[in-house]
Amino acid sequence: MSENTTPLPDFTRWPSFPFEGDMRVKKLAPPVEVEPPRSGEDASDCVACGTPDDSYIWVSERWRVRAMDRPTGLPMVLILECRSHLDLGDLPNLLAAELGVMTVRLERAIRSLDGVARVHVNRWGDGSAHLHMWFLARPYGRLQLRGTFLSLWDDILPVVPESQWRENLALVAAWLADFGGQANAEPAHIAWESPATIDVPTGMDGDNDRRPSTLGDVEAAEA
Ligand SMILES: [Zn+2]
């Protein structure tokens, strides 16, 4: 196989690009003739359709909002779904209009949290067929996290403390419920133990044991 000499794009030199060192561009695989079905292409085996309301932090007649199953590196990552088994381009006008309202409402709710500067809204939909919009919160002051690499930084940063994460989920759910629907997330119960007894021990939580445990481990020293 020949050496790949494709020049690296400019974005690899942007401050927001999370990696440095020697890199090369991957070879582009040939296109497939027919793309494979996405997960849940058929409503009968759709994970979103089969997930009960109590797995969501807020639900209404036509919309639901869910969190990840554990705290994230970013202060908040949420997914907005319509209840109906539809993708973005399939939404009838009523749902399309409500999607706009819900997007603005959820953006405001997340941006109201302490320490959140901006909320990035994304829809990819290459993995699952059922419409799901991603809402990713960028921490205030972290200018290096601005822009398109935010979702990569989410997997790099140490996860936020679980109690703070639960508190924030409850705040967002309550904010949404002020306009209708039902909040399912409850504020974290006050833990009277010392923090050391609450933290998940290293190695117990899969993906997270590959992460740095504190911001100090990823942060440059103060100038
Ligand atoms: Zn579905």
Side-chain angles (χ1 to χ4, degrees), residues 46 49 85 130:
C46 171
C49 287
H85 185 75
H130 191 125

Side-chain angles (χ1 to χ4, degrees), residues 58-61 176-183:
W58 172 89
V59 296
S60 74
E61 197 185 333
L176 295 176
D178 272 352
F179 298 91
Q182 180 197 326

Side-chain angles (χ1 to χ4, degrees), residues 40 42-43 46-50 82-86 129-131:
D42 193 319
C46 171
V47 173
C49 287
C82 51
R83 230 178 235 287
S84 310
H85 185 75
L86 297 168
H130 191 125
L131 172 63

